[in-house]
């Protein structure tokens, strides 16, 4: 576990609802103890799309995979494997969480203007994304009241 993840573990033990988010990359500094079951979110500055707003095959509709994914992650039976069930449940949970987050993002407004003319994907874009996450903090998760965010700016040698 990383330093920020361990800090969230302590806050969680004291009754706080916590969240960990990294911008553009998966980092270990926000990982908590595996026993908490809390996974950090990784969000791109390019935006958050619903699963079926993406086109996966050339010339097909954005709904082309829905039936296959619904079937793949449907109810299991006695012959289903434990790891397959766990993977499917994680996939469905992330799918639902992403779709809910998209709806909240689209309805969010920021009080501060962020100028992005020359900073697409840079620190300004990352901070704007974090500001949007903070603005919807009451709607995210289970009433998250403590967050950590990880963003980075390179170029320091």
């Amino acid at each position: 576990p990383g330093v920020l993840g361990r800090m969230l573990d302590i806050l969680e033990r004291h009754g706080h609802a916590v969240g960990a988010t990294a911008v553009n990359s998966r980092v270990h500094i926000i990982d908590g103890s595996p026993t908490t079951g809390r996974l950090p979110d990784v969000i791109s500055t390019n935006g958050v799309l619903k699963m079926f707003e993406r086109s996966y095959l050339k010339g097909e509709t954005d709904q082309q995979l829905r039936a296959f994914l619904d079937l793949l992650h449907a109810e299991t039976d006695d012959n289903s494997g434990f790891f397959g069930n766990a993977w499917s449940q994680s996939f469905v949970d992330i799918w639902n969480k992403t779709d809910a987050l998209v709806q909240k993002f689209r309805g969010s407004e920021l009080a501060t203007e962020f100028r992005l003319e020359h900073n697409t994907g840079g620190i300004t874009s990352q901070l704007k994304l974090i500001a949007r996450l903070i603005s919807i903090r009451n709607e995210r998760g289970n009433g998250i009241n403590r967050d950590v965010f990880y963003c980075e700016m390179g170029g320091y040698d």
Side-chain angles (χ1 to χ4, degrees):
V3 171
L4 295 175
R6 291 192 306 266
M7 179 184 74
L8 290 177
D9 292 344
I10 293 168
L11 288 169
E12 201 168 32
R13 281 196 299 268
H14 285 88
H16 295 283
V18 301
T21 305
V23 180
N24 288 337
S25 62
R26 175 82 172 83
V27 292
H28 294 291
I29 194 169
I30 61 176
D31 287 344
S33 171
T35 60
T36 66
R38 182 187 66 252
L39 296 173
D41 295 325
V42 179
I43 300 178
S44 169
T45 53
N46 294 330
V48 182
L49 295 175
K50 285 187 169 186
M51 180 72 165
F52 295 108
E53 289 179 341
R54 299 177 180 140
S55 182
Y56 294 96
L57 298 173
K58 189 174 180 176
E60 297 291 329
T61 69
D62 55 0
Q63 298 294 315
Q64 68 202 26
L65 291 179
R66 182 180 291 274
F68 297 114
L69 290 174
D70 285 340
L71 180 63
L72 180 65
H73 300 290
E75 290 295 321
T76 58
D77 59 30
D78 293 338
N79 295 322
S80 299
F82 172 76
F83 295 108
N85 290 342
W87 186 89
S88 283
Q89 186 59 55
S90 293
F91 180 86
V92 170
D93 290 346
I94 291 169
W95 178 0
N96 291 332
K97 185 176 184 178
T98 301
D99 284 356
L101 185 62
V102 168
Q103 291 303 110
K104 292 167 188 160
F105 252 61
R106 290 182 180 164
S108 69
E109 296 283 331
L110 292 178
T112 305
E113 180 182 341
F114 286 83
R115 296 181 183 202
L116 301 174
E117 309 85 50
H118 306 291
N119 197 290
T120 306
I123 193 70
T124 306
S125 298
Q126 293 177 59
L127 292 174
K128 180 179 181 181
L129 176 68
I130 290 169
R132 290 182 79 185
L133 287 167
I134 292 170
S135 76
I136 61 170
R137 68 184 170 279
N138 294 328
E139 293 86 28
R140 285 188 300 123
N142 296 321
I144 293 173
N145 58 19
R146 298 291 185 267
D147 266 312
V148 296
F149 300 99
Y150 178 88
C151 62
E152 61 186 12
M153 183 171 75
Y156 297 101
D157 290 318

